[in-house]
Amino acid sequence: CSIGWFKTAEREGFARFSLPVYYDRPLIAAALPARAAELKKASGLAGMLALPGVRVGAVASYSYGDAVDQMLAPLAERVDRAPTPSSNFSKLVAGRFDFAIFNTEDLDYLVSQAPELGPRVARINLPDVPPGKPRHLMCSLTVDAALIQRFDQAISRLRFDRVK
């Protein structure tokens, strides 16, 4: 078993999943302060993406969830896909795009690793983006279903399966 996986239809074909053990905090946008005021006026991700010529930073081969992935899909030529959250952050600070999308946890970590850059990044809440996705224990199909049930009982007892 491994911890922290998103449950997808594809993965359910080769794995068993526990109840959620954690829910990601909401996605957030980050921008350079000079651009943040205009972006905040757009009232959410859809409004920000509708701004003429806006360029967005995102992580390649990563799903931000169906709703956000669908919003980004028609803008492919205006989405700069970095290989990692760290490189996405570096590109943002270098001014390569107008704003970037981050998991809140990733952005918190990146700023903690480079605190001098924290003041150079403005956070923008995205009220039109669904809440964070649940993460699960993902186990091989060879793991007995009874063990998954025991995991689920413990998860429920500890209340990990509740949205925070």
Side-chain angles (χ1 to χ4, degrees), residues 12-136:
E12 285 182 290
F14 61 82
R16 297 182 196 275
F17 289 86
S18 70
L19 289 173
V21 293
Y22 179 77
Y23 285 83
D24 284 346
R25 290 169 37 210
L27 291 174
I28 194 164
L32 297 179
R35 192 72 203 263
E38 177 189 0
L39 293 166
K40 285 180 181 178
K41 288 179 190 172
S43 300
L45 183 59
M48 291 165 55
L49 294 173
L51 293 170
V54 73
R55 294 204 28 90
V56 184
V59 176
S61 301
Y62 180 81
S63 172
Y64 290 97
D66 291 340
V68 174
D69 291 348
Q70 288 172 11
M71 285 187 226
L72 293 175
L75 305 172
E77 72 285 349
R78 293 193 288 148
V79 179
D80 184 318
R81 299 275 181 177
T84 65
S86 177
S87 56
N88 195 31
F89 184 71
S90 296
K91 287 179 168 189
L92 171 67
V93 172
R96 297 269 306 271
F97 33 75
D98 300 294
F99 71 93
I101 301 170
F102 290 96
N103 284 330
T104 304
E105 295 89 343
D106 286 342
L107 185 57
D108 289 347
Y109 174 77
L110 293 166
V111 169
S112 77
Q113 298 303 297
E116 70 283 2
L117 298 179
R120 294 182 54 196
V121 177
R123 294 168 185 251
I124 303 169
N125 292 326
L126 303 172
D128 58 341
V129 171
K133 299 185 293 186
R135 293 181 180 259
H136 305 261

Side-chain angles (χ1 to χ4, degrees), residues 141-158:
L141 289 175
T142 62
V143 172
D144 187 56
L147 181 58
I148 302 294
Q149 265 187 319
R150 288 177 50 208
F151 286 153
D152 287 348
Q153 289 168 354
I155 290 165
S156 289
R157 235 183 353 267
L158 295 169

